[in-house]
Amino acid sequence: VWQASFDREYCAPDGTLLLEERLGSEAADALENAAGLSQEAKENILAFYEAQGILYDLHAQLERAWAAYSEADEGFELYTLGQEVNLCAQNGSTLWLVTTVTLPLGGRVVTEEPLCAAFDKATGEALARSFGIPKVYTDLDAMLADPDIDLIYIATPNSLHYRQAKAALLAGKNVLCEKPFVPTVAEADELIGLAKERHLFLFEAITTAHHPNYALVKEHLPDIGPLRIVSCTFCQYSSRYDAFCAGDVQPAFDPACAGGALMDLGVYNVSYIVGLFGEPNQAKYTANIERGIDTSGILTMDYSGFKAVSIAAKDCAAPARYIIQGTKGYLLQKSTANFCGGVTFHPYKGREEHFNLSAGRPRQAAEFHAIARAIESGDQELCSRMLDTSVAVSRGLETARRDAGIRFPSEF
């Protein structure tokens, strides 16, 4: 067992990572955001959560992971477990606390075959039975030719986003493309032009933009006065970093796959900042570079009247903090932007307030609902606004990479 920060990793005897356990904020962390509680009340709450303990059977999940690994012929994708406690809201002496548990679908086989065959049919059929999905494809072209499919969700390595999104749009499909949208602004502009020409919807899958807690941050910006400093920290020790150091370069660290800390984690910070304040006047990226890729780095962004900084790392770990500081107070989130957890509003004069509109829902729920509503209602205006932000983020990431001397093969 290897442990660092809030993570534990369980490996097979040959060193293969079987299961990653991500223990997020505990009850004690949640109570830090609660105001006006007596010591006795805190002790009673902590006693309850101590008795509750972990709500999943770690041993059973390890057995599942080991069985899947033992049966895998060519590769194995780790299982992920997690649990965290968050303060959703407070009204006087009443607290609403939510325990969120993450359980794995896990263990799917990964091969070196072309991407369209990476998801084998037997695994796909088993998953389809679980969720009532009528069709399973192992060929991308065949899937794009299906007239019953309205939207394609692209969650492949970053370097494939442009090519696959273009193929889907040419096939007349709406597209939801995982972050980062595409590596270059030129690619983004071409895809957007194609979508508009064919009257199709094209979205970047960035959960933060649609999250109700992100809307709360926007709502409370005027309350903290003129802005001075914005800081976003997303540092997560990658389960693939040790392999990378040993010479096994996987897509998350591969320049040929448009990988790196900025594109994988920093994109969340940049989207968070640009979504609130627009494009900066200037940006400078200082990165730790190994084997031609950034494993961590600091991006500074200059706005009129205030500065913003994005810290992202895949080679070290630290608690996530998103802090927006003004002359009259600050806004704080103790979670990464993709989870967009509870918001603390701390005025320098007055009472601190805490908000959390997640209500224990999956972090992608608001995003998928918003996109489904837009497509059903034909809301191209929302689509256009979201794409404007995606292009601005793409421009910022491209500028930052070039500033640090990082170039992907597609850019030469």
Side-chain angles (χ1 to χ4, degrees), residues 375-392:
I375 293 174
E376 288 169 1
S377 64
D379 189 353
Q380 285 285 356
E381 184 180 343
L382 171 65
C383 183
S384 182
R385 289 201 308 271
M386 301 305 298
L387 285 172
D388 286 346
T389 300
S390 294
V391 171

Side-chain angles (χ1 to χ4, degrees), residues 96-148:
W96 284 266
L97 293 149
V98 169
T99 302
T100 304
V101 176
T102 302
L103 294 173
L105 293 172
R108 66 179 175 88
V109 173
V110 187
T111 75
E112 295 295 329
E113 298 301 316
L115 189 69
C116 60
F119 194 75
D120 68 276
K121 193 167 186 179
T123 304
E125 288 173 343
L127 185 65
R129 285 193 297 271
S130 299
F131 291 93
I133 299 170
K135 298 178 183 179
V136 175
Y137 288 99
T138 57
D139 181 85
L140 181 61
D141 291 336
M143 182 176 69
L144 294 177
D146 188 333
D148 294 330

